[in-house]
Amino acid sequence: MNIPVVPVSSKPLTKADFVSSQTVRWCPGCGDYAILANVQKLMPELGIPRENIVFVSGIGCSSRFPYYMNTYGFHTIHGRAPALASGLKIARPDLSVWLVSGDGDSLSIGGNHLLHILRRNLDVNILLFNNQIYGLTKGQYSPTSEVGKKTKSSPFGAIDHPINPLMFALTSEGTFIARTLDIDPKGSSAVLKEAAAHKGTSFVEILQNCIIFNDGAFQHVSDTSQREERTIQLKHGEPLIFGKNKDKGIRLKGLKPEVVELGNGVSEADLLVHDQTDPTLAYILCQMNTPEFPMPMGVMLNRPRNTYEDAVEEQIRHAIEKEGPGTLHDLLYSGEVWEIKRMVTSKGFGQIPEDDFYDNEPQSYKKQDLMTSQVGEVPLRESVIVNADSSVASTIRLMQEKHVSCVMIAKGEKLEGIFTEGDVIFKIMPESRDWEKTPISEVMTANPVTVNHDDKVVLAFNVMTVGGINHIPVLKNGKPFSYVSSETLMDYISQHS
């Protein structure tokens, strides 16, 4: 794939380079501010040019994120950010793509899309802001709200069993799964750096406080006076130890974890050692929660796997080696191709089966250079010419008899106008007049745009497209010769390109 090279400045980037000119419009005190600051601070450390970074979002408070990052970005539709991020990464695998979403956007309407981007393992970084509430729509319970949560949409308490975002990612075959806290800049920075370095889909749940509709949802782990006792910081290759005095740990009892105090015969050697590559251990960690266990923070799983975009590139390369580069025409006419029998023109005026207009036998159309093809090479319809004094009624009867959708009005060898089936619909049918006595000159389109018999097909196509014209007279040596319809012209182009 040929990627355009954009000249960039060699000057080192700073956090300020990633701050956009847009006014940040989150509620004062929202946890999104802290996440935004952490991400803006992280970006320069990645060493990636701003023009190669893209933030994609769906719908929700968190989805305003792309506006506040001085990079490229897409604000997409509810739950569909993974679909757009996937297409972008496949088309431009060189880009650093970040997907920002909320628990409602990703795990409700967007659950199916989130599942598939995780299993496909595109090299995309997903930041899921989890505040356990719908904030943008003013406080309804979300897929992660706890049982019994009283909200505007659950006045007697939510009865839904909440989704565990980390378990969702793990069972969707995610290859990088982590959790951090909005107001923990040190922990967030470490997790996001690992996520950016991971080759594949990285999924980071960020516990985020909604000060208006769910204030204090994670107070039990965010309060600095309790955090060391109620969280455990995961470090690859190190035992699972926590507590203010580092005097507690996690060990396995059979297949179940348990909290133990160090001492009295229990040492670090008895504790579980964190292994980011072990999905079984990740399963255990993703289910641990307060108050029975400390909440694990950090990277649960980091197990690289071949990425989807690499597989696509490899498949394309093998196909080209085997089949050649191919053309659009070959693609459209490959496999099973059949003809749909239809009417060449619309009912009532040109009702003639296609087999009466084209050959009855299947056609193998010869590719032509449409830049040199002439209008005269297009299968033109029979020329029907009337004079300006002919009545409207007689002209319509002639159109029905000849199965044409357009007649030309001429005086001698000079074209004066045209009358089409569209004129019947928009000019004749709405009025009640004596059409037997009304001359066609009163309702025709006078001085129509024309093309010559030897003009290029692309010229006729351009004239009809730009002018919104469905029928255009064809002149030969300055005299009325025939007409071409937009339908006939499109058929010709599609069959010979």
Side-chain angles (χ1 to χ4, degrees):
M1 178 177 292
N2 294 321
I3 304 300
V5 178
V6 180
V8 297
S9 171
S10 59
K11 181 182 177 181
L13 298 173
T14 65
K15 176 185 174 182
D17 292 311
F18 288 90
V19 177
S20 79
S21 61
Q22 300 298 304
T23 301
V24 181
R25 299 187 182 278
W26 286 315
C27 301
C30 175
D32 288 357
Y33 284 96
I35 301 172
L36 175 64
N38 290 337
V39 173
Q40 288 172 337
K41 183 180 178 181
L42 169 71
M43 289 294 110
E45 300 177 24
L46 301 181
I48 301 173
R50 283 183 303 171
E51 57 270 22
N52 284 351
I53 300 174
V54 184
F55 280 83
V56 181
S57 67
I59 295 297
C61 295
S62 62
S63 295
R64 294 173 177 159
F65 210 89
Y67 297 102
Y68 308 143
M69 294 297 301
N70 191 18
T71 63
Y72 286 111
F74 291 93
H75 189 180
T76 69
I77 57 178
H78 207 186
R80 272 64 178 184
L84 192 141
S86 297
L88 178 63
K89 189 64 182 182
I90 292 169
R92 287 290 303 275
D94 61 309
L95 297 179
S96 175
V97 180
W98 295 74
L99 194 160
V100 179
S101 182
D103 50 303
D105 184 51
S106 279
L107 296 172
S108 184
I109 191 171
N112 192 47
H113 294 273
L114 180 61
L115 182 156
H116 292 299
I117 194 173
L118 286 164
R119 74 174 178 87
R120 287 172 178 147
N121 198 40
L122 286 105
D123 190 13
V124 172
N125 308 295
I126 301 174
L127 308 183
L128 185 139
F129 297 13
N130 182 12
N131 55 21
Q132 296 185 329
I133 201 76
Y134 278 109
L136 186 67
T137 51
K138 307 299 183 283
Q140 300 83 7
Y141 78 96
S142 82
T144 59
S145 296
E146 67 274 19
V147 174
K149 183 71 176 180
K150 291 186 177 182
T151 71
K152 294 176 180 178
S153 58
S154 57
F156 299 105
I159 59 175
D160 292 5
H161 182 76
I163 293 176
N164 180 328
L166 299 183
M167 284 296 297
F168 182 96
L170 182 65
T171 54
S172 299
E173 300 290 336
T175 57
F176 183 100
I177 301 167
R179 177 196 283 138
T180 188
L181 186 64
D182 55 358
I183 57 172
D184 179 13
K186 183 178 179 181
S188 293
S189 179
V191 166
L192 294 178
K193 278 184 181 178
E194 284 196 62
H198 176 72
K199 182 69 171 174
T201 305
S202 61
F203 178 88
V204 181
E205 177 193 21
I206 305 177
L207 305 183
Q208 177 259 338
N209 191 49
C210 176
I211 195 170
I212 302 299
F213 297 108
N214 202 22
D215 191 24
F218 301 108
Q219 185 73 18
H220 58 293
V221 294
S222 62
D223 187 343
T224 54
S225 66
Q226 306 177 73
R227 193 181 302 173
E228 290 181 302
E229 295 293 328
R230 296 185 177 180
T231 64
I232 183 167
Q233 302 298 322
L234 302 176
K235 296 181 181 179
H236 182 63
E238 295 187 14
L240 301 184
I241 298 176
F242 69 102
K244 186 175 182 180
N245 299 315
K246 303 298 180 186
D247 57 352
K248 301 180 183 69
I250 305 295
R251 74 177 180 185
L252 278 184
K253 185 178 181 180
L255 296 176
K256 296 182 179 181
E258 65 173 354
V259 175
V260 295
E261 291 192 11
L262 295 176
N264 298 321
V266 179
S267 68
E268 291 188 9
D270 298 312
L271 304 181
L272 267 172
V273 175
H274 185 42
D275 181 0
Q276 294 180 355
T277 66
D278 185 353
T280 302
L281 178 56
Y283 180 87
I284 294 172
L285 293 171
C286 289
Q287 295 191 94
M288 287 171 50
N289 205 345
T290 56
E292 184 179 2
F293 297 100
M295 181 181 285
M297 308 295 287
V299 179
M300 317 283 171
L301 182 70
N302 186 350
R303 191 172 62 159
R305 189 178 78 225
N306 188 39
T307 65
Y308 188 84
E309 65 271 21
D310 284 347
V312 169
E313 288 288 312
E314 184 68 9
Q315 188 178 66
I316 292 172
R317 187 179 66 80
H318 280 304
I320 292 175
E321 288 179 355
K322 182 179 179 181
E323 307 289 346
T327 65
L328 180 60
H329 178 275
D330 293 338
L331 176 63
L332 293 176
Y333 286 88
S334 64
E336 296 183 9
V337 180
W338 62 93
E339 294 180 44
I340 299 176
K341 304 305 178 184
R342 58 178 173 78
M343 301 303 173
V344 171
T345 53
S346 62
K347 185 176 181 181
F349 298 97
Q351 193 171 357
I352 176 171
E354 186 176 30
D355 285 346
D356 294 342
F357 188 64
Y358 297 113
D359 295 336
N360 289 327
E361 297 299 322
Q363 303 182 48
S364 298
Y365 296 106
K366 180 182 178 182
K367 288 189 288 184
Q368 297 182 12
D369 184 357
L370 294 177
M371 296 301 292
T372 60
S373 296
Q374 297 181 348
V375 173
E377 298 173 30
V378 178
L380 301 176
R381 296 306 310 276
E382 176 186 354
S383 175
V384 178
I385 302 175
V386 299
N387 61 57
D389 296 328
S390 299
S391 71
V392 172
S394 65
T395 302
I396 294 175
R397 287 194 292 270
L398 182 62
M399 293 171 69
Q400 292 175 313
E401 178 186 339
K402 297 293 186 180
H403 301 294
V404 295
S405 56
C406 175
V407 297
M408 292 182 285
I409 296 91
K411 184 175 182 179
E413 296 182 345
K414 182 181 179 182
L415 180 69
E416 293 188 323
I418 61 171
F419 182 76
T420 71
E421 59 186 13
D423 294 323
V424 176
I425 296 171
F426 295 109
K427 296 179 181 179
I428 307 304
M429 293 176 65
E431 293 191 39
S432 178
R433 293 167 57 180
D434 187 350
W435 299 115
E436 292 287 359
K437 296 180 180 179
T438 305
I440 196 68
S441 58
E442 291 188 17
V443 294
M444 71 180 183
T445 300
N447 303 314
V449 176
T450 64
V451 294
N452 293 313
H453 183 266
D454 55 359
D455 281 337
K456 302 296 186 289
V457 168
V458 289
L459 173 64
F461 177 74
N462 183 66
V463 169
M464 299 180 81
T465 303
V466 173
I469 301 170
N470 290 324
H471 300 85
I472 190 167
V474 179
L475 306 181
K476 189 173 184 180
N477 300 321
K479 303 174 185 178
F481 174 73
S482 184
Y483 75 90
V484 63
S485 68
S486 57
E487 185 179 20
T488 303
L489 192 63
M490 287 304 299
D491 281 346
Y492 179 83
I493 292 173
S494 64
Q495 293 160 3
H496 294 84
S497 60

